[in-house]
Amino acid sequence: MSKKIVITGGAGFIGSHVVRRFVKQYSSYQIFNLDALTYAGNLENLKDIESAPNYTFIKGDITDEKFINELFEEQKFDSVIHLAAESHVDRSIVDPLAFAKTNILGTMVLLNAFKNLWQDNWSGKRFYHVSTDEVYGSLGNTGLFTESTSYDPNSPYSASKASSDHFVRAYGETYGMPYVISNCSNNYGPNHFPEKLIPLFINNIINNKALPVYGDGLFTRDWLYVKDHAVAIDLAFHKGNNSETYNIGGFNEWTNIDLVKLLCGLMDDKLQRPTGTSEKLITYVKDRPGHDLRYAIDASKINRELGWKPSVTFEEGLEKTINWFLENKDWLNNVTSGSYKEYYSNQYDKK
Ligand code: NAD
Ligand code: TYD
C-alpha cells in the first residue's frame, strides 16, 4: 500500500534512524523529511539514502504556520511522524521559551494543519507523536513508569513535551484525529549529538578532556539503542491502536557513574590505553537544577501487544556506538566545531 508520510525532525539523532528505516523498509511509501536544520539537525546523518527515489528533504520550521499550512495543503500527507523538537534538558534550563515555541507551538501548528486537511474524513490517517518518559517526572528508588502513570514533568523540556502530548490527545478527543503516542527512555547510538551524556563523554575521552559528572552521579536512566527505538516506532505506527500510548524502554537501568565507568573501560580497550586511563578523567561538577533522580520504563504493553523487545544488549549497543564514533571522526569534528565550542564553554567551564 502506498502512503505519503512526513517525518519531522528527520535530520536529528532519532529522526534520522526513523527516516532511514522507513525509506528502506517501505519502498512504496513516499517519505518526506521536514527539518529546520537547527544545531541538532545534520543532513550528513542521511547521506546514504539522500538519493533514494522515495525520499524527499524539505527544509522548514514547524512553528512557521503559513509555511506548514501551505505545505500540508500542497502535499496532502496522510500521516505525520513527529519528532522535531528541542531535546536537551540543559539547554531548556538556559532558554525555556525556545522549548515552548518548538515543542508546544510547533506541535500545535502541525496538528492544526493535519486537522484542516482531514477533519471531514480521517479514514486511513494517523498522527504519530514521539515523546519521552521524562513527562512522568522522577521515580524514587523503586517502581516503573507505566502508560497510566500521571504526568509530573520537572524540567522546561519535559514540561514542553508533556504539553505537546496533551495537545495530541486533545485533537484526538475533540476532532476525532487518529493518533498514537509513544514515550521512550534515553536513547543512545550512532549520530547522537555530543551534548548528551554518552556521546559527550565518548568525545571527551577521545580528546582526553574531563568527564563532567553532575552531582553525586547516582542518577539513574534506562538506556535504549536508537535503532531499537526506530523499530518500535515502525511497529506502533503500523500496528498500534488509535488513541493509545506505548511506553518504550530498554529494560536497562544504570546509574550515571556506573555507566560512565563501563564506558571508560570500553574506551580504554578500543583506544589501546592502559586500563584506568579514562576513569581518571571523571570530574564531579555542580548538579543540574531540578535533576530527576530516576527514570525507568515498564515496556510490557508494547512487548505484549506488538511483540517488540530490544534486539541488542547494552554492552553490544555501546560497543557498536563507540565503534561508530571512532569510525566517524569527521562527523564528530564537524558537529563540534563552530557554535558547539561556545555551548560547551557556557555549560561546563563555569561549573
Ligand atoms: P535531536 O535534538 O537530535 O533532533 C531534533 C531535530 O528536530 C533536529 O534535526 C532539528 O533540526 C529538528 N528541529 C528542531 N526544531 C525544529 C523546528 N522548529 N522545526 C523543524 N525541525 C526542528 O532530538 P532527538 O534526540 O533525535 O529526539 C527526537 C524526538 O524524540 C524528540 O521529540 C524528543 O523529545 C524525543 N525523544 C528523545 C529521546 C532521547 O533520548 N534523545 C528519548 C525519548 C524521546
Ligand atoms: P542526558 O544525556 O542529558 O539525558 P537526560 O537528562 O534527558 O536524561 O543526561 C543523562 C544523565 O547524565 C542525566 O542524569 C544527567 C547526566 N549528565 C551528567 O552527569 N553530565 C553531563 O555532562 C550530561 C550532559 C549529563
Side-chain angles (χ1 to χ4, degrees):
M1 212 219 326
S2 170
K3 274 185 189 297
K4 201 163 180 183
I5 305 177
V6 61
I7 301 180
T8 71
F13 166 46
I14 302 171
S16 60
H17 290 278
V18 174
V19 166
R20 178 177 299 99
R21 180 166 179 92
F22 274 73
V23 166
K24 288 198 161 174
Q25 290 293 114
Y26 303 105
S27 55
S28 66
Y29 293 3
Q30 282 175 270
I31 302 298
F32 293 78
N33 171 11
L34 169 63
D35 197 297
L37 299 181
T38 68
Y39 79 92
N42 185 350
L43 288 177
E44 270 188 62
N45 295 346
L46 291 164
K47 270 235 152 319
D48 56 322
I49 55 132
E50 68 186 4
S51 51
N54 60 339
Y55 172 72
T56 307
F57 173 69
I58 302 166
K59 185 170 187 304
D61 187 330
I62 58 167
T63 67
D64 183 342
E65 194 181 352
K66 182 169 178 290
F67 167 76
I68 294 293
N69 284 341
E70 285 171 6
L71 178 70
F72 275 56
E73 194 50 53
E74 180 192 317
Q75 295 293 347
K76 306 220 169 4
F77 304 115
D78 43 52
S79 298
V80 179
I81 303 179
H82 176 36
L83 296 102
E86 289 293 339
S87 70
H88 189 35
V89 173
D90 292 328
R91 288 186 192 251
S92 83
I93 294 167
V94 177
D95 187 6
L97 284 183
F99 283 66
K101 186 172 180 215
T102 291
N103 300 358
I104 307 175
L105 183 66
T107 301
M108 292 189 66
V109 167
L110 293 171
L111 288 167
N112 229 35
F114 199 53
K115 168 184 85 70
N116 290 344
L117 269 187
W118 304 118
Q119 61 188 336
D120 292 336
N121 180 6
W122 286 113
S123 170
K125 310 298 181 291
R126 174 159 275 187
F127 191 102
Y128 188 104
H129 182 58
V130 176
S131 193
T132 166
D133 61 354
E134 304 192 23
V135 298
Y136 298 122
S138 182
L139 291 163
N141 290 322
T142 57
L144 298 172
F145 297 134
T146 72
E147 288 79 0
S148 57
T149 302
S150 301
Y151 276 32
D152 191 18
N154 293 313
S155 71
Y157 164 65
S158 54
S160 67
K161 290 298 290 187
S163 175
S164 67
D165 294 11
H166 291 321
F167 275 109
V168 174
R169 269 198 200 92
Y171 272 65
E173 291 297 318
T174 308
Y175 306 109
M177 184 191 75
Y179 72 89
V180 171
I181 298 175
S182 53
N183 295 84
C184 189
S185 63
N186 287 54
N187 285 215
Y188 69 96
N191 309 100
H192 205 180
F193 193 82
E195 62 186 353
K196 310 274 169 64
L197 180 73
I198 291 179
L200 181 87
F201 280 29
I202 290 174
N203 186 40
N204 283 12
I205 290 170
I206 292 172
N207 294 301
N208 282 306
K209 282 176 70 174
L211 305 178
V213 172
Y214 295 163
D216 59 10
L218 296 177
F219 301 86
T220 299
R221 299 291 183 263
D222 168 36
W223 294 92
L224 177 69
Y225 191 56
V226 63
K227 293 186 188 186
D228 281 331
H229 188 188
V231 172
I233 290 172
D234 180 349
L235 264 179
F237 173 77
H238 285 100
K239 305 233 164 72
N241 291 319
N242 280 333
S243 316
E244 292 282 337
T245 287
Y246 296 91
N247 278 357
I248 304 169
F251 304 97
N252 178 40
E253 282 185 55
W254 287 79
T255 62
N256 293 339
I257 193 63
D258 285 348
L259 187 164
V260 169
K261 285 182 178 167
L262 173 69
L263 185 64
C264 285
L266 291 169
M267 290 294 289
D268 284 346
D269 282 352
K270 290 281 171 203
L271 297 171
Q272 299 180 329
R273 293 176 181 169
T275 306
T277 307
S278 302
E279 271 199 33
K280 289 198 191 107
L281 298 170
I282 293 175
T283 311
Y284 289 91
V285 299
K286 198 166 130 221
D287 204 0
R288 170 189 282 174
H291 197 167
D292 286 334
L293 177 67
R294 177 170 165 259
Y295 305 141
I297 279 274
D298 177 353
S300 55
K301 176 178 172 182
I302 191 168
N303 174 252
R304 194 174 57 246
E305 293 186 9
L306 305 180
W308 176 87
K309 61 176 187 338
S311 70
V312 294
T313 64
F314 192 43
E315 286 74 6
E316 287 165 348
L318 256 191
E319 185 167 8
K320 283 174 191 283
T321 304
I322 292 169
N323 288 343
W324 186 86
F325 277 96
L326 292 176
E327 285 157 14
N328 289 276
K329 290 233 179 78
D330 286 348
W331 183 96
L332 201 48
N333 290 337
N334 288 346
V335 301
T336 52
S337 61
S339 62
Y340 180 84
K341 289 196 171 70
E342 194 185 332
Y343 164 77
Y344 197 92
S345 116
N346 286 337
Q347 181 63 26
Y348 293 103
D349 291 348
K350 294 169 198 146
K351 279 196 184 267

